[in-house]
Amino acid sequence: LYMARTNVSVAIGAMFSSDAAEGRMLAAFYCGYFAFQTPAGWLASHFGGSRVLTAAVAVWSLASAASCFTRGAFAALFALRVLVGCAEACCYPSMAQLVSVWIPTSERSSSWAFITTGEPAGTVLMLLLGPFLLASTGWRSVFLVSAACGLAWMVAFASFATSDPARH
């Protein structure tokens, strides 16, 4: 899932020639992430982690794919990166809600540790795969592959997950 967080880090050198533009673009994600953490917690508490996480993955995957169509327009890509940050801000609050209802208290720490390994796994995968994609097919492929992986994960997750064990 966290490939979408890292994809711009891989592709940015091919997209912009200015260090200042690159820095602002990298900050765009964190602007959205910071601003949406608390609302994301409220959403997960009120609508359930499963629904919120499914919607968030759809949003950040589609925003990543849409990045391919910006033609390098800074404002459009910046807005999409803020949107990716807002959507990814839903990840931890949603997972925390799911853990709180699905995992016995005595197993929550080890479960949380296992669940959160997805962040570095996705980051490492994109940092290893991304430069190959960039060199062989261009910067757009970096965004498309991360979007496709996110959407595939979302379909599998939505097929099996519920926010409430009583509804499973």
Side-chain angles (χ1 to χ4, degrees):
L1 291 179
Y2 275 79
M3 292 173 75
R5 178 181 289 197
T6 312
N7 57 18
V8 75
S9 299
V10 172
I12 199 162
M15 299 169 72
F16 300 103
S17 59
S18 159
D19 288 344
E22 288 180 14
R24 285 190 294 276
M25 190 59 63
L26 292 171
F29 169 89
Y30 289 100
C31 290
Y33 195 78
F34 169 76
F36 213 68
Q37 283 287 309
T38 300
W42 184 88
L43 289 170
S45 292
H46 285 81
F47 297 104
S50 179
R51 282 190 215 155
V52 173
L53 186 55
T54 299
V57 175
V59 168
W60 84 56
S61 296
L62 294 173
S64 290
S67 299
C68 298
F69 305 105
T70 63
R71 298 182 183 194
F74 186 87
L77 188 58
F78 188 91
L80 288 168
R81 294 307 297 171
V82 170
L83 184 58
V84 170
C86 289
E88 285 205 23
C90 295
C91 191
Y92 284 140
S94 296
M95 290 188 303
Q97 186 278 325
L98 291 168
V99 166
S100 75
V101 297
W102 278 96
I103 308 296
T105 305
S106 63
E107 298 175 21
R108 287 185 186 162
S109 293
S110 58
S111 295
W112 186 255
F114 176 76
I115 290 166
T116 59
T117 59
E119 180 178 355
T123 301
V124 168
L125 183 60
M126 180 49 71
L127 291 174
L128 293 174
L129 176 64
F132 169 76
L133 291 170
L134 183 66
S136 61
T137 56
W139 67 266
R140 287 173 176 84
S141 64
V142 174
F143 291 94
L144 289 175
V145 167
S146 65
C149 289
L151 291 172
W153 184 93
M154 182 208 65
V155 168
F157 178 77
S159 298
F160 299 106
T162 64
S163 297
D164 181 4
R167 294 185 188 158
H168 190 63

